[in-house]
Amino acid sequence: QVQLAESGGGLVQPGGSLKVACVPSGDYFQIPRTMAWFRQAPGKPREWIAAITYSGTTNYKDDVKGRFTVSRGSAMNSIYLQMNGLKAEDTAVYYCNRWPPREGIWGQGTQVTVYS
């Protein structure tokens, strides 16, 4: 069974930092995949924000470039997102998935709230 588990979210003040993690499970994710982070802000659709290939090549949405860094963990297809210089508009539920995203396997996500 394919599952995605996100963790590490929390409450942070503007300008602060936070690191979220994604640990996939299931046979599908035992094969190297291009992985990605997505987020969904209140009242808005889910959007792609960062991706990383198996070899480590990264790509970012313009408004997070220079502030966010995606990386791979030691476990197959596990990924992290280091978020620095957080802004109020970064408030969202953060999700991971393959790129392009596979429908039907979205996890619960992890809430990141930037508040002052």
Side-chain angles (χ1 to χ4, degrees), residues 5-24:
E6 301 92 348
S7 63
L11 179 66
V12 63
Q13 293 184 326
S17 298
L18 205 61
K19 189 175 185 178
V20 294
C22 166
V23 180

Side-chain angles (χ1 to χ4, degrees), residues 39 63-69 82-87 89-90:
R39 67 184 180 188
D63 59 2
V64 308
K65 194 174 300 180
R67 298 190 298 122
F68 292 9
T69 302
Q82 177 67 52
M83 299 178 283
N84 299 323
L86 285 162
K87 306 173 181 179
E89 54 263 43
D90 294 318

Side-chain angles (χ1 to χ4, degrees), residues 30-111:
Q30 297 309 302
I31 299 170
R33 307 285 184 186
T34 293
M35 298 295 292
W37 283 100
F38 305 79
R39 67 184 180 188
Q40 186 170 25
K44 299 177 70 176
R46 182 154 45 203
E47 64 176 356
W48 167 86
I49 55 170
I52 184 167
T53 68
Y54 185 71
S55 63
T57 300
T58 59
N59 196 20
Y60 301 91
K61 186 174 184 289
D62 284 345
D63 59 2
V64 308
K65 194 174 300 180
R67 298 190 298 122
F68 292 9
T69 302
V70 61
S71 61
R72 285 189 175 270
S74 58
M76 178 64 70
N77 293 316
S78 63
I79 57 170
Y80 297 88
L81 186 69
Q82 177 67 52
M83 299 178 283
N84 299 323
L86 285 162
K87 306 173 181 179
E89 54 263 43
D90 294 318
T91 294
V93 178
Y94 285 70
Y95 300 88
C96 63
N97 207 323
R98 72 167 198 188
W99 180 260
R102 177 178 168 179
E103 298 301 325
I105 64 167
W106 295 101
Q108 294 293 310
T110 186
Q111 176 72 50

